[in-house]
Amino acid sequence: MDATELILLYDYYGDFDQLDNGVGMWALLKGEALDAIELCNQKPDGKKKTIATGMAAYPLISEIVERAKAKWPSLDCSVMGIKNEFFGEQITVSGLITGGDIIKQLSGKDIGEQLLIPASMLRFENDMFLDDVTVVEMERALGVKAVITENDGYKLIDNMSVYDNVAMVLKMIGIKDKDEIKKRVHEAAKILDIEHLLERKPKALSGGQRQR
């Protein structure tokens, strides 16, 4: 999208009936990301991160990161807009950014320990950019670990603890009081025998523990 119009608010798009055509995609991503930031109580891991994105999405991603920094002042994350030199700078979408352009434009910069890139930049197998540069080659060239992210603001929830995930559900059904949420989370955890797992992340649980 290269329009200069403001992005309409999340509620304007209703059930996002035209999402497959790209209508409302930005509003949905922004709404999901801001909701996830509000619900998440997990502290940053201390690693310096950089997010690489196309020039079109740069303002939106920057806004989301600034909102996250407002909640977590210790968060060390920067956003880099990548110009598309491979196909032409008039192409501003993230999905057509190449590995070569990322390497060229980020080489020599302090991008930290992790480089977050959207899955839309990669081919279906998620291992190679459109210019045949692989993710591994990019990692070696920049000396950084790549983290592939989906176009989904709620992916932040993957980094939330079990406690935060249960609390999130309670908040979504209208329970706002923190003491009441804490009480209900621990009551549910006791019934399911997972009180000792509340500080773990879901991906660290066994299959049986996740089912509970």
Side-chain angles (χ1 to χ4, degrees):
M1 184 182 69
D2 199 25
T4 56
E5 298 295 328
L6 293 174
I7 302 300
L8 297 173
L9 296 177
Y10 182 94
D11 292 341
Y12 173 84
Y13 297 96
D15 294 328
F16 291 88
D17 295 328
Q18 298 186 61
L19 190 63
D20 288 342
N21 296 323
V23 178
M25 184 178 294
W26 276 28
L28 180 62
L29 174 60
K30 180 179 178 179
E32 289 177 343
L34 297 185
D35 281 349
I37 289 169
E38 181 182 352
L39 294 171
C40 182
N41 292 315
Q42 199 78 14
K43 294 182 180 179
D45 58 14
K47 296 179 180 179
K48 178 177 175 58
K49 301 173 176 63
T50 295
I51 300 174
T53 186
M55 298 305 296
Y58 175 78
L60 173 62
I61 303 302
S62 296
E63 180 183 352
I64 292 170
V65 170
E66 289 305 312
R67 189 70 66 90
K69 287 182 176 180
K71 179 170 182 176
W72 300 290
S74 63
L75 177 64
D76 191 356
C77 182
S78 57
V79 184
M80 299 294 294
I82 305 298
K83 294 181 179 179
N84 197 323
E85 298 180 8
F86 188 89
F87 291 109
E89 292 189 16
Q90 74 277 10
I91 306 298
T92 60
V93 296
S94 297
L96 294 176
I97 295 296
T98 61
D101 280 343
I102 293 176
I103 293 171
K104 180 180 178 180
Q105 294 174 43
L106 297 187
S107 289
K109 290 183 168 60
D110 181 13
I111 58 177
E113 301 174 61
Q114 295 180 337
L115 177 62
L116 281 64
I117 59 174
S120 59
M121 286 185 181
L122 305 173
R123 296 181 178 179
F124 182 75
E125 296 81 3
N126 269 7
D127 63 347
M128 186 179 294
F129 295 87
L130 294 177
D131 60 351
D132 294 336
V133 172
T134 67
V135 173
V136 173
E137 289 171 339
M138 182 197 68
E139 290 178 322
R140 290 174 179 168
L142 296 175
V144 69
K145 174 65 177 177
V147 178
I148 315 302
T149 64
E150 299 295 334
N151 187 35
D152 181 351
Y154 283 118
K155 285 298 179 181
L156 179 61
I157 293 171
D158 290 341
N159 292 317
M160 293 166 61
S161 67
V162 172
Y163 179 96
D164 287 331
N165 271 274
V166 178
M168 177 198 67
V169 175
L170 296 175
K171 291 177 183 178
M172 291 177 71
I173 64 174
I175 301 173
K176 303 298 183 183
D177 183 76
K178 290 184 178 181
D179 291 335
E180 180 65 19
I181 289 174
K182 183 177 180 180
K183 175 185 175 183
R184 294 202 183 196
V185 169
H186 282 280
E187 286 177 348
K190 185 175 182 179
I191 293 172
L192 297 172
D193 192 25
I194 58 170
E195 283 187 289
H196 60 297
L197 303 174
L198 287 176
E199 296 306 314
R200 294 189 188 181
K201 295 180 181 180
K203 59 187 176 183
L205 304 180
S206 68
Q209 290 169 339
R210 288 191 186 189
Q211 286 181 342
R212 283 183 276 171

